[in-house]
Amino acid sequence: MEAMKEEALATIESGRPRERILLSVRELVEFLGRSGDIDDRSQGRDSLAAMQAGSRLHRRLQKQGTSAYHPEVPLRILIDMGEYDLEISGRADGIIYEQDDRGGISEESLPVIDEIKGMYQDVLAFEEPLLVHLAQAKVYAWIFAKEHGLSGIRVQMTYANLDTEQIRRFQEDFGLEDLGRWFDEQIKAYRPWADFRFHWKQLRNESIRALDFPYAYRPGQKKLASDVYRSIHRGKTLFIQAPTGAGKTLSVLFPAIKAMGEKEADRIFYLTAKSVTRSVAKDSIHLLTDGGYRGKTTEIVARDKMCLLQERSCNPEDCHYARGHFDRINAALYDCLTSRDLFDRNFIMEYAKQSQVCPFELCLDLASFSDNIFCDYNYVFDPNASLTRFFGEGRREENLLLVDEAHNLVDRARQMYSETLFYEDFHTLRRLFKGKNPKLMRAAGKCSRFFLDWTRDLEDYRILDNIDSFVLALMNVASCISAYLEEGPRLDEHEQILEIYFRIRYFLTVADWLDQRYRIVLEELGKNAALHLDCMDPSQLLGRRIELARSCIFFSATLLPIRYYKDLLSADRQPYAVYADSVFKEEQHGLVIASDVSSRYQLRNPATYRRYADYIRRISHARQGNYMVFFPSYRFMEEVYGEFLLPGQEECEVLVQEREMSEEDRESFLGQLQKKRRSTLLAFCVIGGIFSEGIDLPGDSLIGAVIVGMPLPQVNRQTRILKDYFDSRSSFDEDTEGLPKGIRLREKKEGFAYAYLYPGMNKVLQAAGRVIRTERDRGIIALLDDRFLRGDYQDCFPREWKHYQRVSIGTVESQVGKFWNQTDISDHRKGPREEGEQKEKD
């Protein structure tokens, strides 16, 4: 630490503005006040519901106050720490005081700081306030008393049960001197951590100022990086369509880090849909580190994947890492922070094991002091999993959100903001509590009757307009389960009850978000029934999260049409958008589209499957090598594969993706494509699956992608409702501004495009993107469905696909062969057979 301090001081130039370390009141008291065990056995996973309901109850209690009750009072104090200032700020739930004639604070009564805490516990059983809650109120009391020159102040802790709204209050008076001494002790205890943050920030920013792009810019890459920096500087949302090879990861990370060094941001969140995608970003960090960058980087992995037990159980009885965790964590955290910069999963798990602390909790604490955080979308956008230390209580911070493979976020966000309850849930509760808890049985029975009334004469599904009465009954069920969790004893089916309880709580949370962007769907499921709160358009809810950050950059190689993603991922109606040019030459790929075959359901028959098999044979005959053949479903793949099991195909090897594949099976599958061989290999895969996205097969590992049919999503309840929703939300072809009065624009229905076409075309673009990965790659992309010749489908094509060859079963082999002949003449790469023969000659 001393070495880092001296190095940091050496970099500080005279005359620079005084640095300021920002800290919230809640962060301060929770960090210093934690001790003892981790224990989530009761309602530890219920923080989201408590937060949502707590906010509503806060507002209600605040409105009940007199004119002397001043709600949501912002407070701030600046403390001189010598080399820097420590700014502590927060918002007091309420301050009660009378004003004098001059607008100041009347001396007739003692001002009161009111700290409100909502919870599902029995608050009437509390004998005293929790120390960490009291500490938070005392910090507010000190700031307010010091600011107004008060000699004393009163602290009131208001505990409220979120189900029953029962209130329990505690009051305590404090003199200014005693409060001041207590506050100074808190600052003294936090001093080492504040010093660390200050000195590290100096080192980090100085390293960023000297940081250069690690290699020569590719064509268009410098402009792309400039667009990212400009968007961050202006605090805007940016959408980037960047084809494979554009170097988008580094083009986004580098300017984001540069902006951080210029104090445009404090922290970067690099968000991905899959952990495998993070590897490229981590490689970029290593590359920048080699160039002199100093940044703390933490990788957050799911709690279950970081657990050191065979089965996760976060309580001191079952886990010795949870027992006394908070008594050991600060020492372990400080040691990590002062000894290295990169904290990935392997390091965290090994260090946590040595230090006898919980790996996941250590990971979160490391993230609090990190400059770069690599994690799943969920940790920012999903209310159930988001990091409340960064995004809780509506806190806005100077964070940057870099959303990789952003095309995945549409479906993920819909899932995050939707919830389902089942008739069986309430039947189970009634069965489990029969004779044990009559009140809960009655409450669950009332919810069951709603399902019975709704499902009378129900076929398939229907959309409901209003469920307000059901929500009230559901709140009663939640309250009864809360009481069970508090009182005990536990039933043997405790985990099952908890699962239903958390689903009920989140359902109530989602019910608060219901608006025109939702559909309430009742679905018949045999003897069961489901009530869905389905999010159709997640843009507004995503927007609430994005508003808490400085800037958000969405980027992907398949963000087309970009209007679709802007519409569904951003509440900002005018976000920036750029289309990065491809660094690859058009002649590197040959694009052919079949005009005489279709995968439409009504045309699927043995003749169609034979024709597709013949297409695949002819394409692969034109050049020996490895091909991936993508099908719209397992059933379709199996039917076409059956046509391949014919005499005369022995020269061609075929791999077939299985419905269930372990990690080892997947690696073996991909390994076959990376082997040198003397024959053609066809890898039959399902499009949209594990092999059509996020895999890298450069060079001769892959020379062709054959897309069999158009992979439109299945026609089912979800897609039908989605189509109807977007049809009802019609748009118009162009703006009315400037048109003659009385001209009516053609109404454009977008249901089919939003529910089927755009999601399907994204899968096509992802699968086709496996072929050209480097500047030396050459390959064939074959789209085998006549629908790809339609204008609305081609509107989704990337710019690189503007030239293609229309083929039929009789011409496809010659057209593909023509592409390879031109490739050979141009002295481009040789195929696997020629390369092998050349090596033998050598």
Side-chain angles (χ1 to χ4, degrees), residues 110-113 129 134 138 141 153-157 169-175:
L110 203 62
V112 179
I113 299 292
L134 182 60
K138 287 168 71 174
I153 194 167
R154 178 172 297 156
V155 166
Q156 175 174 281
M157 287 303 309
R169 290 188 171 94
F170 299 93
Q171 289 189 344
E172 188 173 354
D173 295 348
F174 294 94

Side-chain angles (χ1 to χ4, degrees), residues 38-78:
I38 298 173
D39 195 340
D40 72 347
R41 284 176 293 187
S42 57
Q43 294 152 239
R45 288 179 287 172
D46 199 23
S47 58
L48 170 67
M51 189 186 305
Q52 296 285 126
S55 297
R56 293 191 299 271
L57 189 57
H58 276 209
R59 292 190 292 270
R60 197 173 306 131
L61 291 175
Q62 289 163 346
K63 289 178 181 179
Q64 291 174 1
T66 65
S67 60
Y69 195 98
H70 304 270
E72 301 297 326
V73 180
L75 296 170
R76 182 177 70 97
I77 189 170
L78 208 60

Side-chain angles (χ1 to χ4, degrees), residues 125 177 210 236 306 309 385 423 426 479 574 719:
E177 289 187 9
K236 294 288 289 183
M306 295 197 76
L309 304 182
Y423 167 77
F426 303 99
S479 177
Q574 293 183 318
T719 52

Side-chain angles (χ1 to χ4, degrees), residues 628-667:
M628 296 189 82
V629 186
F630 296 99
F631 295 86
S633 67
Y634 280 101
R635 173 68 185 277
F636 202 107
M637 178 176 69
E638 290 160 0
E639 293 288 354
V640 175
Y641 178 61
E643 298 298 325
F644 251 80
L645 301 179
L646 298 173
Q649 297 301 312
E650 293 80 6
E651 74 221 45
C652 178
E653 295 181 57
V654 182
L655 286 174
V656 180
Q657 177 183 346
E658 297 177 5
R659 292 177 185 265
E660 299 291 336
M661 297 183 76
S662 66
E663 193 67 37
E664 293 76 15
D665 293 336
R666 298 176 192 178
E667 291 178 3

Side-chain angles (χ1 to χ4, degrees), residues 594-612 632 636 639-640 708-710 784-787 790:
S595 62
D596 58 349
V597 69
S598 173
S599 62
R600 292 176 178 86
Y601 283 100
Q602 60 270 31
L603 300 179
R604 295 186 181 183
N605 54 52
T608 298
Y609 301 135
R610 283 194 295 274
R611 196 173 188 83
Y612 271 118
F636 202 107
E639 293 288 354
V640 175
V708 174
M710 176 61 198
L784 305 186
D785 196 302
D786 59 11
R787 284 175 285 187
R790 286 173 36 179

Side-chain angles (χ1 to χ4, degrees), residues 240-279:
I240 301 173
Q241 159 65 24
T244 301
K248 58 182 178 296
T249 301
L250 198 55
S251 300
V252 170
L253 257 178
F254 178 74
I257 288 172
K258 275 293 190 181
M260 189 165 59
E262 295 298 323
K263 303 178 184 178
E264 299 274 6
D266 292 328
R267 187 179 291 106
I268 294 170
F269 283 88
Y270 193 98
L271 308 174
T272 64
K274 302 174 183 177
S275 57
V276 67
T277 316
R278 280 178 231 147
S279 60

